[in-house]
Amino acid sequence: MRTPRSLERFYETTEQIVTTDTDSPPRVLFSGEDLLVEDLPVGTKIVFPKPPIEGLPNVKAAIRQAINRPEESPPLHALLRPGMKVTIALDDISLPLPPMRTPDVRQQVLEVILPLLADSGVDDVHLVIAVCLHRHMTQGEMKRMVGAEIFDAFYPDRYYNHDAEDPDGLVVLGETRHGEQVVVNRRAAESDLVIYVNVNFVPMDGGHKSVGTGLTNYAGVKAHHTPEHIAKSDSYMDPERSEMHRSIDRIGKVVDEHLNVFHIETTVNNRMFDGPLDFLMKREEAYGEVDRLKLAAMKATLARLPAAAKRKMFHAVPAAYDVIAVAAGKTEPTHAKILKASWAQYAVDVDFQADVLVFGVPFISPYNVNSILNPLLVQVMACGYFFNFYRGKPLLKKGGTLILTHPCSDVFDPVHHPSYIEFFHRILPETRDSKVLEAKYEREFAENPTYVHLYRTGHAYHGAHPFFMWYWGENGRQHMGRIIAVGADNAHVPRILGWDTAETLAEAIDMARSTHGRGAEIAMMHHPPIVMTQNLG
């Protein structure tokens, strides 16, 4: 007997996958700093994020419990003694996205452990931001992350950015059995105890990646950020199937042999929007009149603003994330506990693969906080992050077509991304072959004295960073048969990236059907907030 329509709809609203029919509402997609409202073909499967997991009722209490009952380690207080040297390493503001409301969870952890250190007679304490090859955080960003009181007490002599190009500030610990060089921050290496304060935004973060990648140099990152490692990583979000993570874990084990590291890992839910933007957390089927008015008002506002003003507006709105888990102790068991909580928030079970995958690329990535999502970073989001938001089988079939919405503007931030400009306009037009790029140009950029100077003294990403960002999309590019950018405001950026273009989503879908047939299975990943698929069949 056929399921009654009302009951069928009830079941659809309690599941994360909705199949579009003739009376389904149009879908809201990000296109950079704009919002699109688009109808999807009948039969399209829409994969929605899970509802936010309820946050911890008392975050500081959870932190105290974690450090007092850690994983395979004595309690933190038992590791402390008067006169010891302690380095507290912190994840930078590439996570979470957008930056969370204050107090940031890193501040909350520090407010618990710093008094404990003081009460234990530990006065030699430095706070080091584990930026690695990311840009150095600004003074204002550093203050916001830890709060005014901690900032005033430690900045600048005891609260600073890690410098991956400081020859006197790095120590070589040795090599892994695979010949990977293990290099770490000298202050951390010479400390009696390293406490790493982490924010796991997605399952790729944390674990051995924290110290081994966050506090290393170009050579340390180069060990696993290669086209070969990336191509062999079957989703960065599933560390057990990631060649990159296998290398990171080997390096991390050497780190743990030489350093006494106590990890404090946290993870958040996906409550990315609230207030005037809370409609973005809902399915369109659940929109009420107020939600439709909010959407119309937002679209009208965005239509009147220049791009720079739209960027400023979106970056100024912090996310309403709640902390959902805290764990502490040894690297691997601590990380395993947090990974479980992270996947519980993000993983949506699916039993299909699509011929055509649609998603909107928003205004932000881990590499453009308070900056511009330049063309190379659009590629990173499309082929690197969003494609890899899966566990098991990818949502898109091998050889399938990816359709993304983004203007692909030829705009770069010369302060944050100077080496990106040269990479995109001089190098990428010559070749998109990652192995050729690596062999011919990567070291030139990594050792370019201008880029080294801008990294060390300003707020620029390292000269090698655009290469790693191109490699980051390698497994996605190898998997996809075709990429179509909808709404590009120019022709040359998609051409340099090797993408096709369409003016509208409907046109892009027709182009994809010309390859895969009228019966092609179409899916849309409805994010942000973040959604990941899990297909273990």
Side-chain angles (χ1 to χ4, degrees), residues 374-423:
N374 63 55
L376 189 55
L377 294 180
V378 175
Q379 177 271 157
V380 168
M381 292 299 289
C383 305
Y385 279 99
F386 283 172
F387 169 76
N388 281 277
F389 276 177
Y390 71 89
R391 193 181 193 186
K393 297 177 183 177
L395 186 59
L396 184 68
K397 292 177 182 176
K398 178 73 172 178
T401 295
L402 172 67
I403 299 174
L404 63 96
T405 58
H406 195 277
C408 300
S409 301
D410 187 0
V411 182
F412 291 79
D413 186 329
V415 174
H416 290 179
H417 303 114
S419 60
Y420 280 56
I421 300 170
E422 182 181 6
F423 175 89

Side-chain angles (χ1 to χ4, degrees), residues 49-55 269-272 281 322 324 345 529:
K50 287 183 175 179
I53 293 174
E54 186 176 354
N269 63 13
N270 65 352
R271 197 183 306 278
M272 190 173 286
M281 295 293 297
D322 299 306
I324 60 173
Q345 174 62 87

Side-chain angles (χ1 to χ4, degrees), residues 354-370:
D355 300 294
V356 182
L357 177 60
V358 179
F359 54 63
V361 177
F363 57 94
I364 198 166
S365 82
Y367 315 109
N368 77 307
V369 177
N370 298 321

Side-chain angles (χ1 to χ4, degrees), residues 128-136 160-171 181 183-186 212-222 446 451-452 455-457 460-465 468:
V128 181
I129 306 172
V131 295
C132 192
L133 306 185
H134 293 182
R135 69 170 178 87
H136 289 186
Y160 47 86
N161 293 283
H162 168 68
D163 185 349
E165 286 290 342
D166 180 5
D168 298 322
L170 298 161
V171 174
Q181 192 176 58
V183 184
V184 297
N185 176 279
R186 180 177 293 277
T213 300
L215 293 177
T216 190
N217 64 353
Y218 165 66
V221 176
K222 175 63 182 169
Y451 294 145
V452 170
Y455 163 81
R456 296 196 67 190
T457 64
Y461 279 81
H462 192 274
H465 202 261
F468 297 153

